[in-house]
Amino acid sequence: TYETPVLYEEMDGVYLALQGKDRLEHGRGKEMKVSIAYSGICEDASGRRSLANKVSYASMEQAEHFRRHTEGIVADFYDLDCVEQRIFNSDGAGWLQKNMVPMCIFQLDQFHRNRAVRTYVDDPDLQQTIIGLLRERKVKETLAVVEASIESTLDPDEQEKRRNLFTYSSSHKHALVPYYQRKGKQPPLPNEGQQPARCGSMESNIFTIIGNRMKHNRTCWSVPGANNLAALLALHHTGRLRRVLRDWTAHGDPSGLFTVTQPLTAADVNRRAKNVYIPPHLLSADNLHPTVKHCLTTFFPLSEMHTTN
């Protein structure tokens, strides 16, 4: 029910390693799609800046389903009837283009825009020329320089990369300049106490929400297991997991639960809840401890659970 005149949205994906049957079906890895939405930028007394009223959603879904579920997460917190303008920031991937809401302002993420230049162009001087033109908001000149540079090298591989850069840039020529640097009508200002956002925090959120826990530590996932953990991580890193747990404990079955008032060691946990740990080969819907089964089924249907995640 939060009312805001402007809503900022960012989306990106991160590949996670798969295991078991899902590895055979999808290959070594599959993309986890992640989205965030927020109403502006808050700054505390120390000068630390943070995203205001951030909500997040993450899953390994088709783009159509991901967009629908993301919109549901956003609508659960925001009163979308009061939103006058939505700003969408992404790297321009195909599935992200399909996820844009109608009449939104789209801008190409500057980190990915500049990285594309450095990836497709080996000449450092040419890199600086192209990035400099983009910073000066000279889109036509940028495209002309990239196109002319294709024939300025005799290396076939370098020519092919520059063609890819020209295709990428021309496909997003209306989004190369950040929305706040464009001429014409600007989006409304956010609520009092918040500042307009320039966007571009998605890479950091990818690491914070998903990457830090689920990537680069030799973990492999089933698709249902990854989706289940991603749902909890998205709630946790937007400060909403406690609310969900409070609602669950208020309306659920409290039997078998105990209150922890101070940190517990691993030995203390084993003494306090002897039946909580189940070996992975026994962790199935039929073998779950009643307390664990009740806790898990509150969040996820047992049919979606994976035996090891």
Side-chain angles (χ1 to χ4, degrees), residues 56 208-209 229-242:
S56 177
T208 300
I209 299 173
L229 182 57
L232 292 175
L233 291 172
L235 286 171
H236 170 63
H237 289 289
T238 54
R240 288 172 172 75
L241 181 58
R242 290 184 179 274

Side-chain angles (χ1 to χ4, degrees), residues 112-124:
H112 289 91
R113 181 197 71 181
N114 295 340
R115 187 175 69 175
V117 174
R118 296 187 176 97
T119 300
Y120 292 126
V121 176
D122 292 337
D123 185 350

Side-chain angles (χ1 to χ4, degrees), residues 100-222:
M100 289 192 300
V101 295
M103 304 304 293
C104 72
I105 297 177
F106 170 56
Q107 72 171 35
L108 195 64
D109 185 74
Q110 293 185 69
F111 168 79
H112 289 91
R113 181 197 71 181
N114 295 340
R115 187 175 69 175
V117 174
R118 296 187 176 97
T119 300
Y120 292 126
V121 176
D122 292 337
D123 185 350
D125 293 334
L126 182 57
Q127 291 177 4
Q128 293 303 316
T129 298
I130 296 173
I131 293 176
L133 289 172
L134 289 172
R135 288 173 178 167
E136 295 174 4
R137 306 188 294 278
K138 298 179 178 179
V139 176
K140 292 182 179 180
E141 291 83 348
T142 300
L143 295 176
V145 168
V146 174
E147 186 176 22
S149 71
I150 297 174
E151 301 300 331
S152 66
T153 177
L154 299 179
D155 186 345
D157 293 335
E158 183 71 9
Q159 288 181 343
E160 182 62 25
K161 289 196 295 183
R162 294 182 185 185
R163 287 193 190 95
N164 292 336
L165 177 61
F166 179 76
T167 300
Y168 178 75
S169 301
S170 58
S171 298
H172 303 99
K173 60 182 179 181
H174 299 297
L176 290 174
V177 175
Y179 81 91
Y180 53 88
Q181 294 180 343
R182 300 175 190 174
K183 297 179 180 179
K185 185 179 179 181
Q186 292 294 314
L189 294 175
N191 292 333
E192 185 177 357
Q194 299 176 24
Q195 304 172 16
R198 295 188 173 186
C199 301
S201 65
M202 198 61 219
E203 285 295 315
S204 175
N205 279 274
I206 284 284
F207 174 80
T208 300
I209 299 173
I210 299 297
N212 191 36
R213 172 62 181 85
M214 302 182 69
K215 192 175 176 66
H216 301 312
N217 51 1
R218 298 186 181 180
T219 51
C220 297
W221 306 92
S222 68

Side-chain angles (χ1 to χ4, degrees), residues 1-4 7 37-39 52-56 70-80 194 238 240 243:
T1 58
Y2 184 83
E3 297 181 2
T4 178
L7 184 66
Y38 50 98
S39 59
N53 304 299
K54 182 172 72 173
V55 297
S56 177
T70 296
E71 194 70 3
I73 293 294
V74 172
D76 182 59
F77 181 82
Y78 290 100
D79 184 353
L80 295 181
Q194 299 176 24
T238 54
R240 288 172 172 75
R243 186 192 70 178

Side-chain angles (χ1 to χ4, degrees), residues 3 13 20 24 32 37 50-51 66 75 84 97 109 115 163 176 193 216 237 287 301 307:
E3 297 181 2
L24 296 176
M32 170 73 71
S50 61
L51 305 182
F66 180 79
E84 301 174 23
Q97 298 297 302
D109 185 74
R115 187 175 69 175
R163 287 193 190 95
L176 290 174
H216 301 312
H237 289 289
N287 296 326
T307 56

Side-chain angles (χ1 to χ4, degrees), residues 11-28:
M11 294 184 187
D12 204 350
V14 56
Y15 274 85
L16 302 179
L18 296 180
Q19 66 176 2
K21 294 184 295 184
D22 291 313
R23 189 186 185 96
L24 296 176
E25 180 180 354
H26 301 287
R28 295 176 61 87

